[in-house]
Amino acid sequence: MKKAVVILSGGMDSSTTAYIAKQEGYEIVAVHFNYSQRTEKKELEAFRAIAKSLDAKTYEIDLEFFKQIGASALVDERIEVPTEGIKPGIPVTYVPFRNGIFLSIAAAIAEKERAEAIYIGVVEEDSSGYPDCRESFIEAMERAIDLGTKDETKIKIKTPLIHLKKEDIVAKALQIGVPLELTWSCYQNEEEACGVCDSCRLRLKGFEKAGAKDKIPYKTIPTS
Protein backbone atom coordinates (compact mmCIF):
# COMPACT_ATOMS: atom_id res chain seq x y z
CA MET A 1 0.00 0.00 0.00
CA LYS A 2 1.31 3.48 -0.83
CA LYS A 3 2.37 5.63 2.13
CA ALA A 4 2.04 9.33 2.94
CA VAL A 5 3.65 11.28 5.74
CA VAL A 6 1.13 13.73 7.19
CA ILE A 7 2.24 16.69 9.32
CA LEU A 8 -0.49 16.52 11.95
CA SER A 9 -0.77 19.20 14.63
CA GLY A 10 -4.13 18.00 15.89
CA GLY A 11 -5.83 21.09 14.52
CA MET A 12 -8.81 21.21 12.20
CA ASP A 13 -6.85 21.84 9.00
CA SER A 14 -4.17 19.19 9.48
CA SER A 15 -6.72 16.62 10.67
CA THR A 16 -8.89 17.21 7.59
CA THR A 17 -5.78 16.90 5.45
CA ALA A 18 -4.94 13.57 7.08
CA TYR A 19 -8.44 12.25 6.40
CA ILE A 20 -8.18 13.37 2.77
CA ALA A 21 -4.88 11.48 2.46
CA LYS A 22 -6.54 8.36 3.87
CA GLN A 23 -9.47 8.81 1.47
CA GLU A 24 -6.99 9.04 -1.41
CA GLY A 25 -5.69 5.58 -0.59
CA TYR A 26 -2.59 6.26 1.47
CA GLU A 27 -1.37 4.42 4.54
CA ILE A 28 -0.82 7.27 7.00
CA VAL A 29 2.43 8.03 8.80
CA ALA A 30 1.47 10.88 11.13
CA VAL A 31 4.17 13.25 12.37
CA HIS A 32 3.66 15.65 15.27
CA PHE A 33 6.01 18.35 16.51
CA ASN A 34 6.27 19.49 20.12
CA TYR A 35 8.02 22.85 19.91
CA SER A 36 7.25 24.42 23.31
CA GLN A 37 4.10 26.06 21.95
CA ARG A 38 1.62 27.37 24.51
CA THR A 39 -0.89 24.60 23.87
CA GLU A 40 1.65 21.80 23.42
CA LYS A 41 -0.06 19.35 25.79
CA LYS A 42 -3.52 19.82 24.25
CA GLU A 43 -2.22 19.62 20.68
CA LEU A 44 -0.39 16.37 21.47
CA GLU A 45 -3.60 14.94 22.97
CA ALA A 46 -5.52 15.92 19.83
CA PHE A 47 -2.81 14.48 17.58
CA ARG A 48 -2.91 11.14 19.35
CA ALA A 49 -6.70 10.97 19.14
CA ILE A 50 -6.79 11.77 15.41
CA ALA A 51 -3.86 9.46 14.61
CA LYS A 52 -5.61 6.62 16.48
CA SER A 53 -8.82 7.24 14.55
CA LEU A 54 -6.81 6.84 11.32
CA ASP A 55 -4.88 3.78 12.54
CA ALA A 56 -1.73 5.71 11.66
CA LYS A 57 1.90 4.98 12.43
CA THR A 58 3.15 7.91 14.51
CA TYR A 59 6.25 9.98 15.14
CA GLU A 60 6.36 12.56 17.93
CA ILE A 61 9.33 14.89 17.45
CA ASP A 62 10.55 17.34 20.10
CA LEU A 63 11.93 20.64 18.77
CA GLU A 64 12.76 22.65 21.88
CA PHE A 65 15.03 25.02 19.96
CA PHE A 66 12.00 26.98 18.74
CA LYS A 67 11.68 28.40 22.26
CA GLN A 68 15.36 29.37 22.20
CA ILE A 69 14.83 31.23 18.93
CA GLY A 70 11.63 32.87 20.18
CA ALA A 71 10.26 35.76 18.11
CA SER A 72 6.71 34.36 18.22
CA ALA A 73 3.84 34.69 20.68
CA LEU A 74 3.31 30.93 20.37
CA VAL A 75 6.64 30.09 22.02
CA ASP A 76 7.59 33.28 23.93
CA GLU A 77 5.20 34.03 26.78
CA ARG A 78 6.55 37.58 27.00
CA ILE A 79 4.78 38.28 23.70
CA GLU A 80 1.00 38.47 24.05
CA VAL A 81 -1.23 36.52 21.70
CA PRO A 82 -3.34 39.14 19.86
CA THR A 83 -7.07 38.95 20.57
CA GLU A 84 -8.45 42.05 18.83
CA GLY A 85 -9.20 40.36 15.54
CA ILE A 86 -7.24 39.56 12.40
CA LYS A 87 -5.27 42.49 10.99
CA PRO A 88 -3.27 42.91 7.77
CA GLY A 89 0.35 41.79 7.73
CA ILE A 90 2.23 38.96 9.40
CA PRO A 91 1.06 38.50 13.00
CA VAL A 92 3.24 37.93 16.07
CA THR A 93 1.96 34.34 16.16
CA TYR A 94 4.08 33.52 13.09
CA VAL A 95 6.87 31.12 14.10
CA PRO A 96 9.92 31.86 11.89
CA PHE A 97 10.23 29.28 9.10
CA ARG A 98 8.26 26.70 11.09
CA ASN A 99 6.78 24.93 8.06
CA GLY A 100 10.15 24.85 6.34
CA ILE A 101 11.64 23.04 9.32
CA PHE A 102 8.62 20.74 9.64
CA LEU A 103 8.76 19.82 5.95
CA SER A 104 12.50 19.11 6.13
CA ILE A 105 12.01 16.65 8.99
CA ALA A 106 8.94 15.15 7.31
CA ALA A 107 11.06 14.61 4.19
CA ALA A 108 13.64 12.66 6.19
CA ILE A 109 10.88 10.48 7.63
CA ALA A 110 9.28 10.07 4.19
CA GLU A 111 12.58 8.93 2.69
CA LYS A 112 13.07 6.42 5.52
CA GLU A 113 9.48 5.15 5.23
CA ARG A 114 9.62 5.09 1.42
CA ALA A 115 6.56 7.32 1.32
CA GLU A 116 5.40 8.86 -1.94
CA ALA A 117 3.92 12.03 -0.51
CA ILE A 118 3.97 14.54 2.32
CA TYR A 119 0.63 16.10 3.19
CA ILE A 120 0.51 19.44 4.98
CA GLY A 121 -2.63 21.42 5.86
CA VAL A 122 -1.45 24.88 4.87
CA VAL A 123 -4.14 27.39 3.88
CA GLU A 124 -3.11 30.37 1.77
CA GLU A 125 -6.48 31.85 0.86
CA ASP A 126 -7.99 32.40 4.30
CA SER A 127 -5.15 32.12 6.80
CA SER A 128 -3.44 34.43 9.26
CA GLY A 129 -0.96 35.67 6.66
CA TYR A 130 1.96 33.32 7.35
CA PRO A 131 4.59 33.42 4.58
CA ASP A 132 5.37 29.71 4.96
CA CYS A 133 1.81 28.86 3.91
CA ARG A 134 2.24 30.28 0.40
CA GLU A 135 1.91 27.91 -2.54
CA SER A 136 5.12 29.27 -4.07
CA PHE A 137 7.01 28.37 -0.89
CA ILE A 138 5.61 24.83 -0.87
CA GLU A 139 6.62 24.36 -4.51
CA ALA A 140 10.15 25.56 -3.72
CA MET A 141 10.40 23.16 -0.76
CA GLU A 142 9.31 20.26 -2.95
CA ARG A 143 12.09 21.10 -5.40
CA ALA A 144 14.65 21.38 -2.58
CA ILE A 145 13.58 18.03 -1.14
CA ASP A 146 13.97 16.44 -4.58
CA LEU A 147 17.49 17.84 -4.87
CA GLY A 148 18.46 16.83 -1.33
CA THR A 149 17.32 13.20 -1.31
CA LYS A 150 18.42 10.04 -3.10
CA ASP A 151 17.83 9.87 -6.84
CA GLU A 152 15.27 7.10 -6.41
CA THR A 153 13.36 9.08 -3.77
CA LYS A 154 10.38 10.87 -5.29
CA ILE A 155 8.22 12.80 -2.84
CA LYS A 156 5.32 15.07 -3.70
CA ILE A 157 4.12 17.70 -1.23
CA LYS A 158 0.33 17.72 -1.27
CA THR A 159 -1.70 20.67 0.02
CA PRO A 160 -5.38 19.83 -0.51
CA LEU A 161 -6.65 22.81 1.50
CA ILE A 162 -4.36 25.54 0.24
CA HIS A 163 -7.00 27.43 -1.81
CA LEU A 164 -10.00 26.76 0.43
CA LYS A 165 -11.86 29.09 2.76
CA LYS A 166 -12.43 27.98 6.36
CA GLU A 167 -16.10 27.29 5.73
CA ASP A 168 -15.09 25.01 2.84
CA ILE A 169 -12.70 23.16 5.14
CA VAL A 170 -15.40 22.68 7.76
CA ALA A 171 -17.83 21.42 5.12
CA LYS A 172 -15.23 19.05 3.68
CA ALA A 173 -14.33 17.75 7.15
CA LEU A 174 -17.94 17.04 8.00
CA GLN A 175 -18.50 15.39 4.61
CA ILE A 176 -15.64 12.90 5.04
CA GLY A 177 -16.23 12.22 8.73
CA VAL A 178 -13.39 14.06 10.45
CA PRO A 179 -14.07 14.02 14.23
CA LEU A 180 -13.65 17.78 14.60
CA GLU A 181 -14.62 17.59 18.28
CA LEU A 182 -11.23 15.90 18.86
CA THR A 183 -9.26 18.70 17.19
CA TRP A 184 -7.83 21.85 18.80
CA SER A 185 -7.06 25.21 17.19
CA CYS A 186 -6.69 27.74 20.03
CA TYR A 187 -3.33 29.48 20.28
CA GLN A 188 -3.35 30.13 24.02
CA ASN A 189 -5.72 27.94 26.09
CA GLU A 190 -5.84 24.20 26.70
CA GLU A 191 -9.03 23.70 28.76
CA GLU A 192 -11.43 26.02 26.92
CA ALA A 193 -10.59 27.62 23.58
CA CYS A 194 -10.25 31.37 24.09
CA GLY A 195 -12.51 32.24 21.15
CA VAL A 196 -10.67 35.50 20.41
CA CYS A 197 -7.20 34.60 19.07
CA ASP A 198 -6.76 34.60 15.29
CA SER A 199 -7.00 30.82 15.07
CA CYS A 200 -10.20 30.62 17.14
CA ARG A 201 -11.77 33.45 15.13
CA LEU A 202 -10.99 31.74 11.82
CA ARG A 203 -12.34 28.43 13.09
CA LEU A 204 -15.54 29.94 14.50
CA LYS A 205 -16.11 31.92 11.31
CA GLY A 206 -15.67 28.73 9.29
CA PHE A 207 -18.27 26.86 11.33
CA GLU A 208 -20.70 29.80 11.21
CA LYS A 209 -20.45 30.20 7.44
CA ALA A 210 -20.73 26.43 6.95
CA GLY A 211 -23.93 26.44 9.01
CA ALA A 212 -22.51 23.99 11.54
CA LYS A 213 -21.91 23.99 15.30
CA ASP A 214 -18.43 23.57 16.77
CA LYS A 215 -18.51 21.06 19.61
CA ILE A 216 -15.33 22.10 21.41
CA PRO A 217 -15.69 24.38 24.50
CA TYR A 218 -15.10 28.13 24.16
CA LYS A 219 -14.50 30.65 26.92
CA THR A 220 -15.76 33.50 24.72
CA ILE A 221 -17.69 33.65 21.46
CA PRO A 222 -16.90 36.95 19.72
CA THR A 223 -19.86 38.88 18.33
CA SER A 224 -17.96 40.00 15.24
Side-chain angles (χ1 to χ4, degrees):
M1 189 175 184
K2 59 183 182 177
K3 288 185 185 179
V5 171
V6 180
I7 297 173
L8 181 57
S9 70
M12 181 172 72
D13 297 347
S14 68
S15 297
T16 303
T17 297
Y19 267 73
I20 290 171
K22 186 81 168 183
Q23 189 181 52
E24 292 178 351
Y26 287 94
E27 178 184 342
I28 305 300
V29 179
V31 182
H32 182 76
F33 299 102
N34 299 309
Y35 58 98
S36 302
Q37 65 271 42
R38 289 174 187 255
T39 55
E40 179 178 278
K41 182 179 176 182
K42 186 66 176 181
E43 288 183 32
L44 181 58
E45 177 187 303
F47 162 76
R48 288 173 175 170
I50 295 297
K52 184 178 179 180
S53 75
L54 288 163
D55 193 28
K57 180 176 182 177
T58 60
Y59 287 81
E60 296 174 8
I61 309 291
D62 295 326
L63 300 175
E64 295 179 2
F65 64 83
F66 274 107
K67 194 169 185 69
Q68 289 178 273
I69 295 170
S72 168
L74 297 194
V75 295
D76 187 342
E77 293 183 1
R78 296 169 298 180
I79 304 172
E80 289 189 12
V81 173
T83 58
E84 288 77 41
I86 298 166
K87 295 179 171 58
I90 299 171
V92 296
T93 50
Y94 165 65
V95 180
F97 204 63
R98 181 181 62 180
N99 284 341
I101 294 165
F102 286 1
L103 283 165
S104 297
I105 296 170
I109 293 169
E111 187 162 42
K112 175 216 169 181
E113 293 282 349
R114 298 183 180 178
E116 298 176 16
I118 297 169
Y119 279 74
I120 183 169
V122 292
V123 181
E124 183 177 48
E125 296 288 301
D126 192 18
S127 68
S128 293
Y130 297 160
D132 57 354
C133 290
R134 296 171 184 155
E135 188 170 31
S136 56
F137 169 72
I138 299 298
E139 290 169 351
M141 283 298 296
E142 182 178 272
R143 175 64 176 150
I145 288 166
D146 186 53
L147 290 170
T149 51
K150 293 180 288 188
D151 288 346
E152 61 267 30
T153 299
K154 301 298 178 187
I155 302 167
K156 297 291 293 181
I157 301 179
K158 301 201 173 190
T159 56
L161 309 184
I162 198 161
H163 294 304
L164 298 185
K165 298 288 187 182
K166 283 295 182 192
E167 59 266 31
D168 302 323
I169 295 168
V170 172
K172 179 67 174 178
L174 294 173
Q175 177 197 343
I176 63 177
V178 182
L180 293 177
E181 68 277 6
L182 300 179
T183 67
W184 198 254
S185 303
C186 184
Y187 282 154
Q188 59 180 352
N189 292 350
E190 293 186 308
E191 297 301 323
E192 290 181 307
C194 71
V196 291
C197 69
D198 287 358
S199 187
C200 280
R201 286 177 185 274
L202 284 166
R203 179 175 173 134
L204 284 166
K205 184 182 79 169
F207 271 89
E208 181 185 2
K209 289 193 171 184
K213 180 173 174 55
D214 194 355
K215 295 178 182 178
I216 70 166
Y218 284 91
K219 184 176 181 180
T220 302
I221 303 291
T223 55
S224 61

